[in-house]
Amino acid sequence: MELTVLGSGGCMPIPRPLCNCGICREAREKGHPFRRTGPSLFIHGDNLLIDTPAEIGTQLNREGICSLSHILFTHLDPDHIEGLRVIEQIALDFRTWRGIPEKRLTLLIPRALMEHFGEITTVYGPWLDFLEDSGFAVCREFDSTIRLGELKITAIRVPGSNPPVFIFVFEKQGARIVYAPCDIKPFPESRQQVRHPDLLLIQPGMFEQGLAGDFRYPEGHVSRTTLYTYDDTLALAERLKADRVVFIHLEEYWHRSFSDYMAMETDNITFAYDGMPLAIP
Ligand SMILES: [Zn+2]
Ligand SMILES: [Zn+2]
């Protein structure tokens, strides 16, 4: 499987608008790979995109991607869906204001996510209805697994998450990738499909030291309900026995630069950057 991490950032891009911190200033000065945009992944060959952050149009252009057929969604937090308009931008025929049939995208949506998707509206009503009625997209709901040719996708709901959050497992030709970008606590680590993956793409959780202004997360802080600490995540990855771990969804407020993350890398643990190519096996 060949992948590209289109966006390695989280809900705060780097540089964060108007921010004058050292991390953001350095990103403005040095550009790529110090800059980070919102969380998204592309699987080549299957032409599958996972999530549509605000910068998705720019990300697709930047990587020279010229074929896209399916979009899969992990959950509906704004940092993962605020670029939904890319669907219309890709498929619109300005002459008819309808979708060009060959450019129509298929949206793969876990069934439990579907009812919540209906709550996302525009002035034209529910966004999904608008996309479907205009011929820009078709929705394909699925329960736990769906196949795209040789690619098998398994959706695993983060236990107790509501609105639901999904972790995806991608399997093809004997290779297995686990994609867990956001709000993954409690991680469903007893599920066989997430154990011993060839590649684990996962958010690092919260860093407890080195934050701006020496902020320390108190016990009971709201972020602790959906985020592990970085040490917890390292221990989780160890228990899962992933061959390779790549950290994604790297927030501006972790207050770490591209070079800081590089210095933390080991043989099998790396930190993503925008445009990072990955090939498994
Ligand atoms: Zn900043
Ligand atoms: Zn997120």
Side-chain angles (χ1 to χ4, degrees):
M1 274 186 274
E2 290 189 14
L3 330 170
T4 298
V5 178
L6 295 179
S8 61
C11 56
M12 294 291 170
I14 303 174
R16 178 176 174 174
L18 280 59
C19 183
N20 198 33
C21 80
I23 303 298
C24 292
R25 281 204 315 271
E26 181 185 39
R28 280 187 204 102
E29 282 163 21
K30 297 183 178 172
H32 181 82
F34 289 78
R35 288 174 172 265
R36 299 185 189 278
T37 53
S40 59
L41 180 74
F42 186 75
I43 302 184
H44 296 271
D46 301 294
N47 297 334
L48 171 65
L49 170 67
I50 300 101
D51 290 339
T52 55
E55 307 92 340
I56 185 60
T58 308
Q59 294 173 345
L60 292 167
N61 282 324
R62 188 195 65 214
E63 297 306 317
I65 290 168
C66 44
S67 193
L68 173 63
S69 51
H70 296 79
I71 306 179
L72 180 65
F73 297 93
T74 55
H75 64 309
L76 302 178
D77 275 0
D79 54 324
H80 296 255
I81 61 155
E82 60 192 339
L84 271 176
R85 280 209 66 240
V86 77
I87 295 165
E88 184 179 345
Q89 292 163 351
I90 288 170
L92 175 76
D93 183 341
F94 76 95
R95 297 166 300 186
T96 59
W97 213 260
R98 300 278 307 164
I100 300 167
E102 312 85 74
K103 295 197 170 184
R104 187 177 300 153
L105 295 162
T106 301
L107 312 184
L108 307 177
I109 304 176
R111 201 172 304 280
L113 209 55
M114 198 61 177
E115 58 183 282
H116 296 281
F117 233 128
E119 295 164 9
I120 299 170
T121 64
T122 71
V123 289
Y124 307 111
W127 207 335
L128 275 192
D129 291 351
F130 169 70
L131 293 172
E132 284 202 298
D133 294 347
S134 307
F136 301 142
V138 290
C139 294
R140 215 170 130 192
E141 280 182 70
F142 67 104
D143 287 314
S144 57
T145 62
I146 191 167
R147 284 181 184 274
L148 292 184
E150 284 186 272
L151 180 70
K152 180 184 176 191
I153 304 167
T154 302
I156 299 176
R157 185 172 180 166
V158 173
S161 59
N162 197 26
V165 177
F166 286 88
I167 289 164
F168 292 121
V169 181
F170 302 106
E171 293 171 272
K172 189 178 184 179
Q173 296 168 344
R176 185 151 45 88
I177 294 168
V178 175
Y179 186 61
C182 189
D183 295 349
I184 57 169
K185 184 181 178 180
F187 194 89
E189 61 180 293
S190 60
R191 294 284 296 263
Q192 202 56 38
Q193 297 99 320
V194 302
R195 306 193 68 86
H196 304 278
D198 297 283
L199 171 64
L200 172 64
L201 289 149
I202 191 168
Q203 69 172 167
M206 58 168 67
F207 290 92
E208 296 197 280
Q209 292 173 2
L211 305 178
D214 277 331
F215 176 75
R216 296 295 175 102
Y217 280 97
E219 290 305 317
H221 189 279
V222 62
S223 289
R224 292 188 186 275
T225 58
T226 55
L227 296 177
Y228 291 110
T229 65
Y230 179 58
D231 288 343
D232 288 341
T233 312
L234 284 175
L236 170 66
E238 182 79 32
R239 290 196 299 279
L240 294 176
K241 297 190 170 19
D243 281 355
R244 183 172 175 194
V245 180
V246 175
F247 286 116
I248 50 177
H249 207 285
L250 304 173
E251 298 288 0
E252 182 268 350
Y253 46 80
W254 300 143
H255 206 56
R256 282 155 168 85
S257 76
F258 174 74
S259 335
D260 295 330
Y261 287 123
M262 287 253 290
M264 296 162 65
E265 294 187 345
T266 66
D267 285 347
N268 70 334
I269 295 178
T270 50
F271 290 80
Y273 54 87
D274 281 24
M276 181 190 213
L278 292 161
I280 304 293

